[in-house]
Amino acid sequence: MKLNPFVKAGIGLTFALLWSCPTLAALTEAKNFGLEVKATAQSEDDRDLGTQKGGDVNGIGLDLRPWVYGESGAWSAYAMGQAVVSSDIIETDTLQQSANDENQQTTNNDRKTKKNYLAMREFWVGYSGFTPYPGEILKLGRQRLRNDDGQWRDTNIEALNWTFDTTLLKANVGVAERFSEYRTDLKELSPVDKDRQHLYADASYQWMPGQWIGLRGHHTHDNGKLDYPEPGQPTDSLDKRSNGDLTWLGIEANSDAYNWRNTNTVNYWASITGMRGDRDSVNALKSDGSRPDQAKRSQDVNGWATDIGVRLRLDPQWQVGAAYARASENYEQNGLQSNRSNWTGTQSRVHRFGEAFRGEMNNMQSMSLFGSWQLREDYDASLVYHKFWRVDGNKPVSSNGIAALDNTTDAAGDIVASTSLPLADGKKDLGQEMDLVVTKYFKSGLLPAAISQSFDEPSALVRFRAGVFKPGDAYGSNVDSYMHRAFVDVIWKF
């Protein structure tokens, strides 16, 4: 495989960091290295809701993630690589967005997802000598950024990030920008990530035992060069068509609800976020193929979102709960989110808006009812029902799980062009979904605190996670009745 310059640079930097560590021999003796082996089987049917031929995924993949970590005084260094081989284009990584890269009509293959690839997930150096607290560290490099609800940050990205984590106060401050995917198949960034800088800060205070309140802020500055359409020239889905500045400010409160080890009889979480900013967007060509009168349009954007939930513990093993989320028609998330968290009260992280639908907080409201079961640290299970609606029945929504298409055919009935399927005007019902996530854990393992968030799982396990989505009338009548996405993951750490 041919490595692009960014991947080469990442690999080179990684080895430079590791071999410059003066305690590499001691690191080896302390077993601060290892290999995470993950085998994933995926079954997926009708992501496109039956709007094109194919659209199904059935395959198995092997994901190998070697890692190495070293410390010398207040300094530390970490790197994790990745090698994936599979029989189909499947998702072995829960951080991987379910984008339709394989379906994009591009003029090149620079963002064409492949079955097999190499990658660098993380490479960073850290310094923890600013304060005497063990939960404080400054990291520079590609790293895992994550907050408890996964709705602000949960991704691997190049960043300078400072974390302060104590019993009473938790805080993060940082700046991040994606320069590369560091994968041998994805040589080009998504247009939304090109030249987009993120600045963020958050702080939470435990004002009484188990009760947290916090403030969060995030700003994105995007001054990337816009790609304007040219008459007679084909467009590319990798063209950058908008940029601008957006700011999010939010307040949150919770009862340590995302800590699956807590034994509270009642758990709750609540957050409200406001967003505002400005955006420049490229205007499309006129219907006759000529240039528009104005090359771009500028607009102010603003919106708000809320997420609330309550969970009741029936006994040491069983919990039930309900959750509600709403995002205004112009609200959008900052692009670093996964929306995965421990909101059902188990060790397994579950998608907040459906394992199949994978909605985002954008012109959407959802109601969720769930039950969960946790048997010590050996088993857990979550059963979730979701119902989704549009807030404005005339505006689109964002979903990483659905890719329905509107096809243009010729006289012979062959598809000559496809675009995203527009939702039916005035129809708000997006659909409903049932999710099931069941996990069996085999053994526990301890990792250095500085790298614990780099791993989604602390144990070897077998997990089944699945969602079945039934589209609502917003998708019209010419789509299939159901779509599903199911995974079996087997993880073992050496």
Side-chain angles (χ1 to χ4, degrees), residues 293-349:
D293 296 331
Q294 298 291 330
K296 66 179 181 180
R297 62 189 182 278
S298 300
Q299 62 182 132
D300 295 330
V301 292
N302 59 79
W304 66 274
T306 187
D307 182 22
I308 57 177
V310 62
R311 194 171 66 238
L312 175 65
R313 186 177 301 278
L314 303 178
D315 63 27
Q317 297 179 16
W318 292 92
Q319 300 182 71
V320 294
Y324 174 78
R326 179 185 177 95
S328 65
E329 59 270 23
N330 293 321
Y331 184 86
E332 61 187 69
Q333 293 181 268
N334 61 44
L336 302 185
Q337 75 282 347
S338 72
N339 291 323
R340 291 187 174 275
S341 68
N342 306 95
W343 62 285
T344 63
T346 69
Q347 189 174 0
S348 298
R349 298 170 67 233

Side-chain angles (χ1 to χ4, degrees), residues 210-212 253-270 308-314 318-322 342-346 370 372:
Q211 306 297 315
W212 293 83
N254 68 79
S255 61
D256 207 20
Y258 299 103
N259 176 9
W260 63 273
R261 288 187 171 89
N262 88 53
T263 58
N264 300 338
T265 301
V266 178
N267 277 291
Y268 70 89
W269 68 89
I308 57 177
V310 62
R311 194 171 66 238
L312 175 65
R313 186 177 301 278
L314 303 178
W318 292 92
Q319 300 182 71
V320 294
N342 306 95
W343 62 285
T344 63
T346 69
F370 63 91
S372 63

Side-chain angles (χ1 to χ4, degrees), residues 86-379:
S86 58
S87 61
D88 202 345
I89 299 177
I90 68 172
E91 299 171 32
T92 64
D93 189 350
T94 55
L95 293 185
Q96 175 183 336
Q97 296 294 321
S98 183
N100 313 305
D101 292 322
E102 65 270 23
N103 297 323
Q104 289 180 353
Q105 304 300 311
T106 65
T107 56
N108 56 63
N109 291 320
D110 285 347
R111 197 170 175 81
K112 186 79 169 179
T113 303
K114 296 182 180 178
K115 300 177 183 178
N116 311 317
Y117 63 87
L118 299 174
M120 285 300 302
R121 291 178 63 83
E122 295 189 56
F123 47 88
W124 52 260
V125 291
Y127 179 73
S128 55
F130 291 113
T131 74
Y133 295 98
E136 178 265 324
I137 188 171
L138 177 71
K139 294 180 183 177
L140 173 63
R142 182 172 170 85
Q143 59 191 280
R144 178 73 173 273
L145 300 180
R146 183 167 72 191
N147 70 307
D148 288 341
D149 61 18
Q151 294 178 13
W152 288 63
R153 299 185 303 276
D154 189 13
T155 190
N156 293 324
I157 189 172
E158 301 88 316
L160 176 64
N161 180 78
W162 181 76
T163 296
F164 185 79
D165 188 350
T166 66
T167 303
L168 296 178
L169 181 64
K170 298 179 181 179
N172 294 275
V173 179
V175 57
E177 181 176 355
R178 201 178 302 280
F179 296 102
S180 171
E181 300 285 3
Y182 299 94
R183 285 176 45 161
T184 53
D185 54 345
L186 303 182
K187 302 179 181 66
E188 187 76 21
L189 287 174
S190 169
V192 72
D193 284 327
K194 293 178 181 177
D195 301 305
R196 191 181 197 191
Q197 297 92 42
H198 300 263
L199 294 88
Y200 57 87
D202 59 73
S204 296
Y205 175 67
Q206 187 175 201
W207 59 278
M208 63 180 295
Q211 306 297 315
W212 293 83
I213 187 168
L215 296 173
R216 301 189 282 196
H218 194 109
H219 177 76
T220 60
H221 173 63
D222 185 346
N223 62 350
K225 181 181 178 182
L226 298 177
D227 297 310
Y228 296 95
E230 294 291 336
Q233 298 295 321
T235 60
D236 193 312
S237 62
L238 299 186
D239 287 346
K240 190 172 184 66
R241 303 195 177 280
S242 67
N243 60 18
D245 294 340
L246 293 174
T247 301
W248 293 260
L249 292 174
I251 185 171
E252 58 155 344
N254 68 79
S255 61
D256 207 20
Y258 299 103
N259 176 9
W260 63 273
R261 288 187 171 89
N262 88 53
T263 58
N264 300 338
T265 301
V266 178
N267 277 291
Y268 70 89
W269 68 89
S271 67
I272 186 166
T273 304
M275 180 208 76
R276 67 179 306 162
D278 58 83
R279 177 182 288 117
D280 291 334
S281 301
V282 169
N283 286 323
L285 297 175
K286 293 182 178 181
S287 58
D288 61 1
S290 63
R291 287 188 175 89
D293 296 331
Q294 298 291 330
K296 66 179 181 180
R297 62 189 182 278
S298 300
Q299 62 182 132
D300 295 330
V301 292
N302 59 79
W304 66 274
T306 187
D307 182 22
I308 57 177
V310 62
R311 194 171 66 238
L312 175 65
R313 186 177 301 278
L314 303 178
D315 63 27
Q317 297 179 16
W318 292 92
Q319 300 182 71
V320 294
Y324 174 78
R326 179 185 177 95
S328 65
E329 59 270 23
N330 293 321
Y331 184 86
E332 61 187 69
Q333 293 181 268
N334 61 44
L336 302 185
Q337 75 282 347
S338 72
N339 291 323
R340 291 187 174 275
S341 68
N342 306 95
W343 62 285
T344 63
T346 69
Q347 189 174 0
S348 298
R349 298 170 67 233
V350 179
H351 200 291
R352 179 66 181 83
F353 306 114
E355 294 289 335
F357 182 64
R358 298 185 185 180
E360 295 184 356
M361 298 186 79
N362 166 234
N363 192 32
M364 186 188 76
Q365 61 177 331
S366 69
M367 174 62 76
S368 305
L369 302 174
F370 63 91
S372 63
W373 172 70
Q374 180 85 42
L375 180 62
R376 299 183 299 274
E377 297 189 13
D378 300 322
Y379 297 91

